[in-house]
C-alpha cells in the first residue's frame, strides 16, 4: 500500500508540472474573451439578392458584317431572391447601365429607360419570392457602328433592396472585325418609263481593321437593263445565254483604308421597251491582284473616298455575305394567257391535248418571289374526274392529290402518269419574253361514259397582268356528244341483227296461224 501511494503522489506531481502552464494559459484566454462572450456580435445577414442574365457575353456585328460570327440574340435580365427562408419576399430596385454603348451601337434598348439615355432604373420591384426569379426586362442591341469594330464594352447591372443587400452582374459586349461590303445602292425605283434611263449609285465601306489592296465589284442586271455607256477598261460584261441578264465584273485598285467608305460613279442604265420588274444586284470581295485594264475601251472605273453620305447609302445591310439588291419597276404591263382544251371521245379512248401559257406582252419578266414559291408553276393542271393521264410531259411533275398538300406521299415525280395534278415548267418558273409560249402535251384516257366534267389549267404569272381572267382556262370532258367509235358501231349492228331475226320469225309463222296448225 505504501508503495502504491508513493507512486500515485509521484505521478500527480509530474502531471501538475506538465499541465500547469497549459491550464494557466487557458485561464488567461478565458479571462481575455469573457467580455465578448457576455455581449456577442450579431452575425452578418445572408445575401438575399442575385442577378441572372440569359447571355453574359454578346457578339454584335458591325454594319459591315462580322465574318463567321453569329449575332447574339437579345438577353433577358432576371432578379432572384436567395433569402434563407422559403416563402420570403423582397422588394428591390434594379439599375441597368448601358451608357458605354452610346457611341458604339445603334438600336440599343434598355428596360425602364423612358428617356433613352441607356440608363434604366426599375424601381419598386415588389414581392420577389424566394426560388421564383422575376424577369426585369430585355437588353436589345441592334447593330454595331463602324467605329466599334474590334472594340468591346460592358453593361453593368445592379440590384439593391431596402436592407442594403446588393447584387451585381455585367454583360460583356464584343464588336468583332467586319468585312469590306457594298453599302450604297439605288433605292427602289418605281414607275419608270420604258426606254428611259436610271442612275446606279454604288459604293462600299471597308469594315475591317486592315487595308484592302484590290476589290472585285460585281453588278448583275436583269434582262430589261443594260449599261448606257461604253464598257470601262477594267470591267468585263457577260450576257447570260439563257436570258437571265448581264453580269459586269470590275477590278478596282486601292488601297482602301480600314473603316473608310468609297463611292463609284458607274453611270446610267438603259431601261428596255419590254422591261417590267427589273433588279440590280451588287456584291464585293477582296482580290489579290487584278488583271490588266484591257477589258473595255472606255475610261477606268475608280472608287473615290466618300466625303458625305447621301440617300443611296444603306443603313441595314442584312446578313454578312448577302448581295445588295435593288428593284426597278416600270409602267409596263404584261398579259399571260392560258389555253385549255375540250376532250371528246368514248369510254376507253385515249385523247391528246396541248396545254400552254403565252406572254402577250408588252412586258417581259420572270416570276417574282411570291409567284415562284411553293408548288406554283408556269402551268398547273388539275385533272377532271373520270380521266386518267396515261402520258405526261417530262417537264411536268405529277401529284396524287388535286390540291397541294404537305404530305410527301402525294408526289409522283416528273413525267409520271396517273396524277390528279401536274405542275409544269419547274416550280421556280422561267423568264417569259413577249410573244413566247410554254406548251405541254398530255394524253388522257376516258374512263367513264358519264363524264361531263370540267377542271382548270392555271399559271402562276399573275402580277402586273391587266387581264387576270385569262390566267385560267378550262379542261373540259364532253363524253355525251362524242362520236360513235368502233365499239358503239358493233353494239348497234348486233341490235339490228336481233331485230331482223325476230321479224323473219314472225313472217314465217304467220301462214301457220292462218291454217290453225300453230
Amino acid at each position: 500500500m505504501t508503495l502504491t501511494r508513493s507512486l500515485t503522489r509521484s505521478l500527480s506531481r509530474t502531471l501538475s508540472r506538465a499541465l500547469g502552464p497549459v491550464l494557466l494559459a487557458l485561464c488567461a484566454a478565458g479571462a481575455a474573451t469573457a467580455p465578448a462572450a457576455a455581449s456577442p456580435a450579431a452575425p452578418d445577414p445572408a445575401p438575399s439578392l442575385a442577378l441572372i442574365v440569359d447571355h453574359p457575353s454578346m457578339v454584335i456585328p458591325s454594319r459591315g458584317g462580322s465574318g463567321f460570327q453569329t449575332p447574339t440574340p437579345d438577353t433577358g435580365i432576371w432578379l432572384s431572391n436567395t433569402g434563407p427562408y422559403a416563402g420570403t419576399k423582397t422588394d428591390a430596385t434594379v439599375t441597368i447601365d448601358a451608357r458605354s454603348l452610346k457611341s458604339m451601337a445603334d438600336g440599343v434598348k434598355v428596360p425602364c429607360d423612358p428617356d433613352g439615355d441607356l440608363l434604366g432604373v426599375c424601381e419598386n420591384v415588389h414581392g420577389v419570392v424566394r426560388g421564383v426569379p422575376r424577369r426585369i426586362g430585355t437588353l436589345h442591341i441592334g447593330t454595331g457602328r463602324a467605329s466599334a469594330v474590334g472594340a468591346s464594352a460592358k453593361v453593368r447591372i445592379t440590384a439593391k433592396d431596402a436592407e442594403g443587400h446588393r447584387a451585381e452582374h455585367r454583360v460583356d459586349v464584343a464588336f468583332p472585325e467586319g468585312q469590306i461590303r457594298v453599302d450604297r445602292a439605288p433605292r427602289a425605283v418605281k414607275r419608270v418609263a420604258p426606254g428611259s434611263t436610271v442612275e446606279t449609285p454604288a459604293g462600299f465601306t471597308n469594315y475591317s481593321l486592315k487595308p484592302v489592296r484590290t476589290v472585285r465589284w460585281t453588278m448583275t442586271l436583269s434582262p430589261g437593263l443594260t449599261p448606257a455607256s461604253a464598257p470601262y477598261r477594267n470591267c468585263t460584261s457577260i450576257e447570260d445565254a439563257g436570258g437571265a441578264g448581264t453580269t459586269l465584273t470590275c477590278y478596282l485598285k486601292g488601297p482602301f483604308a480600314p473603316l473608310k467608305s468609297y463611292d463609284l460613279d458607274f453611270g446610267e442604265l438603259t431601261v428596255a421597251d419590254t422591261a417590267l420588274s427589273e433588279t440590280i444586284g451588287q456584291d464585293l470581295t477582296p482580290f489579290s491582284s487584278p488583271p490588266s485594264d484591257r477589258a473595255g475601251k472606255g475610261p477606268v472605273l475608280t472608287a473615290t473616298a466618300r466625303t458625305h453620305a447621301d440617300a443611296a447609302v444603306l443603313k441595314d445591310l442584312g446578313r454578312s455575305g448577302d448581295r445588295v439588291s435593288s428593284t426597278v419597276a416600270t409602267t409596263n404591263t404584261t398579259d399571260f394567257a392560258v389555253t385549255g382544251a375540250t376532250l371528246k371521245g368514248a369510254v376507253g379512248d385515249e385523247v391528246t391535248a396541248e396545254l400552254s401559257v403565252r406572254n402577250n406582252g408588252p412586258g417581259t419578266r420572270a416570276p417574282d418571289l411570291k409567284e415562284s414559291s411553293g408548288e406554283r408553276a408556269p402551268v398547273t393542271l388539275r385533272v377532271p374526274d373520270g380521266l386518267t393521264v396515261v402520258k405526261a410531259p417530262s417537264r411536268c411533275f405529277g401529284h396524287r392529290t388535286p390540291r397541294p398538300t404537305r404530305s410527301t406521299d402525294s408526289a409522283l415525280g416528273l413525267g409520271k402518269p396517273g396524277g390528279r395534278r401536274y405542275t409544269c415548267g419547274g416550280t421556280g418558273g422561267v423568264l417569259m419574253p413577249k410573244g413566247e409560249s410554254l406548251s405541254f402535251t398530255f394524253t388522257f384516257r376516258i374512263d367513264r361514259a358519264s363524264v361531263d366534267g370540267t377542271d382548270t389549267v392555271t399559271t402562276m404569272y399573275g402580277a402586273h397582268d391587266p387581264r387576270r381572267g385569262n390566267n385560267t382556262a378550262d379542261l373540259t370532258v364532253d363524253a355525251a356528244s362524242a362520236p360513235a367509235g368502233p365499239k358503239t358501231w358493233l353494239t348497234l349492228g348486233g341490235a339490228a341483227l336481233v331485230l331482223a331475226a325476230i321479224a323473219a320469225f314472225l313472217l314465217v309463222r304467220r301462214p301457220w296461224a292462218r291454217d290453225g296448225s300453230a
Side-chain angles (χ1 to χ4, degrees), residues 335-495:
D335 175 29
F336 286 89
V338 173
T339 57
T342 299
L343 307 179
K344 295 184 179 182
V347 173
D349 285 354
E350 294 186 358
V351 185
T352 299
E354 185 177 80
L355 312 175
S356 66
V357 59
R358 184 180 190 274
N359 180 8
N360 294 327
T364 290
R365 74 176 182 93
D368 59 27
L369 182 62
K370 182 178 180 181
E371 290 171 326
S372 61
S373 62
E375 290 189 354
R376 297 170 180 264
V379 170
T380 298
L381 161 69
R382 284 211 310 262
V383 182
D385 291 337
L387 286 182
T388 297
V389 175
V390 295
K391 187 175 181 181
S394 60
R395 291 184 296 158
C396 294
F397 194 95
H399 306 264
R400 291 185 174 90
T401 59
R403 297 185 182 277
T405 176
R406 293 183 178 179
S407 174
T408 56
D409 295 337
S410 67
L412 284 174
L414 286 171
K416 299 295 184 180
R420 306 311 304 166
R421 176 170 52 92
Y422 287 87
T423 49
C424 302
T427 56
V430 293
L431 177 71
M432 289 285 286
K434 174 186 175 181
E436 183 167 314
S437 296
L438 291 174
S439 299
F440 307 93
T441 301
F442 286 83
T443 301
F444 303 90
R445 185 184 65 239
I446 300 177
D447 294 328
R448 295 201 309 265
S450 60
V451 171
D452 191 10
T454 299
D455 227 308
T456 57
V457 183
T458 59
T459 182
M460 68 178 176
Y461 294 100
H464 318 289
D465 194 334
R467 299 178 60 194
R468 299 292 294 273
N470 61 3
N471 293 162
T472 300
D474 292 335
L475 178 63
T476 303
V477 182
D478 186 3
S481 61
K487 295 180 181 180
T488 305
W489 181 88
L490 288 174
T491 303
L492 293 176

Side-chain angles (χ1 to χ4, degrees), residues 24 79 121 186 204 212 233 257 303 305 315 319 324 388 434 462 469 505:
L24 289 174
L79 178 64
V121 181
F204 56 90
V212 177
R233 234 183 312 170
K315 293 183 178 180
R319 298 172 300 177
V324 176
T388 297
K434 174 186 175 181
F505 172 77

